[in-house]
Each structure stands twice: as structure tokens, then as C-alpha cells.
Amino acid sequence: MNRVLLRCHMLSDIMTEPKDKKETLSVGAKTAIKKLAKETIYGASVRVDNKYTRKGLECEQTSIDLLNDVVGMAFAKNTMRLNNDWITGEPDIVADNFGVDIKTSWSIDTFPMLPEDGQEKAYEWQCRGYMMLFDKPSWTVAYCLVDTPENLIGYDDPKLHQVSHIDPRMRVTLVNYERDETLELNIKAKCEAAQLYYQHLLDVVLNKRGVKQVFVSAPPTENLRAKLAFANS
């Protein structure tokens, strides 16, 4: 049977706790899954395209080069995507015993000067997904501050964007996360609930119109329920 696989960047939505403790999925999680189901049913998705994402894409290699310069490594952009029964992901950098997710800051104003300023739950869950997929004991978010392409700056003060004169060591902030098996059990349980809800949406929308279903998801295994109950006891 086929399962819908959730991208690692979706985990921050899926992992939020519902206000109603009888529920497994929060309202935000269900909203994210509805969006995914709609993309499947109608064969189209919304692409986020703004100056922030454009800088991230255009300057990704520049950020990797900056990180290499600061930490004395020779990291290369990863192009491998891995899947398991729950999630799918293609991280930026995969090393022997860890991985790195590159976050190119928009400007000096948005760059986290200290690690605690860069501790974002969304990025943490994304990293935890990558640790699961690539079987690594740790993962790092590397915030990199590099020059913004002139065509993207717009009406911002250029001084906030022209940063190459600043010591490279002052333009990289690292936030590290260690692998946690208990959290991974929670990820699996939430993703299985999300898969069931996704299938329910397909059933409701397609069956009412007499359209053949696209995906079939399996219910959570008893083995996983037992592990989760033990981990939370």
C-alpha cells in the first residue's frame, strides 16, 4: 500500500499539540494536510516566491562557501533525497556523523547574532526529520550572512545587505541539535495520524464525486503504539 510522505519542513505544523487533548492532530496540522491533499487532487501546488526565498536560492552556494571558510571544511551541496515510511527529505549538507541545514539570512537585521536567537522550532523539527532519514546523531542549522543581490534589496538600506567586508566569523551562527529517539517516536505517531487524515480527505472528496482514489494509507502499527506508550510512561 502507498503512503503519503511528509516533507521535513512540514513537521513543525504536524507536531503542534492540539488544544483538545482527545485529538492527535492540531487545527494547524489538519490545515497543512488539507493543503497537501488539495495539491494531490488537483495536481498543482503554490510556490512561495519572494525576495527572501530568492536570496536563499540564489545565494545558497555562497553561504556554503562562507561556512566552509569559517569552519575549515569542504562541504558540498547534497543532492540525495531519502524516504522512510513517514517522511521525505533532501537536506543541504550531509557529512559522516552529522548534517547541516543552510539558512541564508535576509539582512543584518534578521541574522541571529547568538545561537539562542536562532532556535526556531520549525527548523528543529526539520533537522530531526533529517536525522531520522540519514541516521545521524546530530544536525546543525547554519545561519549565514552574505551579500544580498542588488536586484533584491529594493528600498532597504544597502548597509544592511552589503556585508562581505565583515569578518566571516561574525557572519555564521551555528545551532546544534542532538538526536532524540523519544521525539522520533512522536514524529512517527503524528505522521501516521496525518496519513490517516490525508486518506480520509481523499475518501471524502473523491468518493463523493465517484473518482478513483490515488493513495491508500495504512493505520498505525500496534508495535508503534506500544513503543509510544512506553516512551511516554
Side-chain angles (χ1 to χ4, degrees):
M1 289 187 293
N2 295 313
R3 292 173 180 263
V4 61
L5 301 180
L6 305 178
R7 291 179 178 268
C8 287
H9 72 80
M10 291 183 64
L11 286 177
S12 61
D13 292 322
I14 303 302
M15 297 307 297
T16 54
E17 291 300 325
K19 292 182 179 179
D20 184 350
K21 299 306 178 184
K22 296 179 181 178
E23 297 288 333
T24 302
L25 298 173
S26 68
V27 172
K30 290 182 177 180
T31 299
I33 300 161
K34 284 180 182 178
K35 180 179 178 182
L36 183 61
K38 184 184 255 187
E39 291 175 357
T40 298
I41 292 169
Y42 293 99
S45 60
V46 176
R47 179 186 174 189
V48 178
D49 184 17
N50 54 48
K51 61 184 180 181
Y52 309 108
T53 58
R54 288 181 189 177
K55 180 178 180 179
L57 291 172
E58 293 181 25
C59 299
E60 183 176 50
Q61 187 57 53
T62 304
S63 291
I64 293 175
D65 293 341
L66 172 64
L67 177 65
N68 284 335
D69 182 34
V70 170
V71 301
M73 299 294 286
F75 294 129
K77 169 66 177 173
N78 169 65
T79 58
M80 180 186 298
R81 174 174 292 276
L82 292 185
N83 307 323
N84 59 22
D85 287 339
W86 305 276
I87 56 177
T88 178
E90 183 181 322
D92 296 325
I93 295 170
V94 180
D96 290 340
N97 295 311
F98 62 94
V100 181
D101 197 38
I102 297 290
K103 300 298 181 187
T104 302
S105 295
W106 166 244
S107 67
I108 290 177
D109 184 50
T110 65
F111 176 69
M113 185 173 64
L114 300 171
E116 53 261 39
D117 299 330
Q119 291 178 345
E120 296 283 346
K121 271 297 180 182
Y123 298 156
E124 178 184 349
W125 285 118
Q126 187 175 14
C127 288
R128 295 200 179 283
Y130 293 149
M131 282 187 268
M132 285 178 63
L133 289 169
F134 286 81
D135 193 24
K136 302 298 181 183
S138 66
W139 213 273
T140 296
V141 176
Y143 292 92
C144 299
L145 182 62
V146 299
D147 287 343
T148 303
E150 289 186 8
N151 64 300
L152 296 179
I153 294 176
Y155 294 104
D156 278 9
D157 184 347
K159 291 180 181 179
L160 294 173
H161 295 273
Q162 297 168 351
V163 298
S164 56
H165 62 285
I166 300 173
D167 189 317
R169 294 170 296 181
M170 299 296 294
R171 294 190 283 121
V172 174
T173 297
L174 304 178
V175 180
N176 302 309
Y177 297 102
E178 300 297 321
R179 193 169 183 179
D180 187 314
E181 293 185 1
T182 299
L183 292 178
E184 289 185 11
L185 286 174
N186 288 329
I187 288 174
K188 293 175 184 178
K190 290 278 192 181
C191 285
E192 290 190 349
Q195 289 171 334
L196 288 173
Y197 184 63
Y198 173 90
Q199 183 61 54
H200 166 72
L201 292 172
L202 294 188
D203 291 341
V204 170
V205 175
L206 298 179
N207 285 350
K208 277 191 173 182
R209 293 168 171 82
V211 179
K212 184 178 179 180
Q213 292 188 22
V214 181
F215 290 103
V216 177
S217 298
T221 63
E222 289 300 329
N223 188 36
L224 178 60
R225 286 197 187 98
K227 288 181 179 179
L228 187 63
F230 175 78
N232 291 332
S233 62

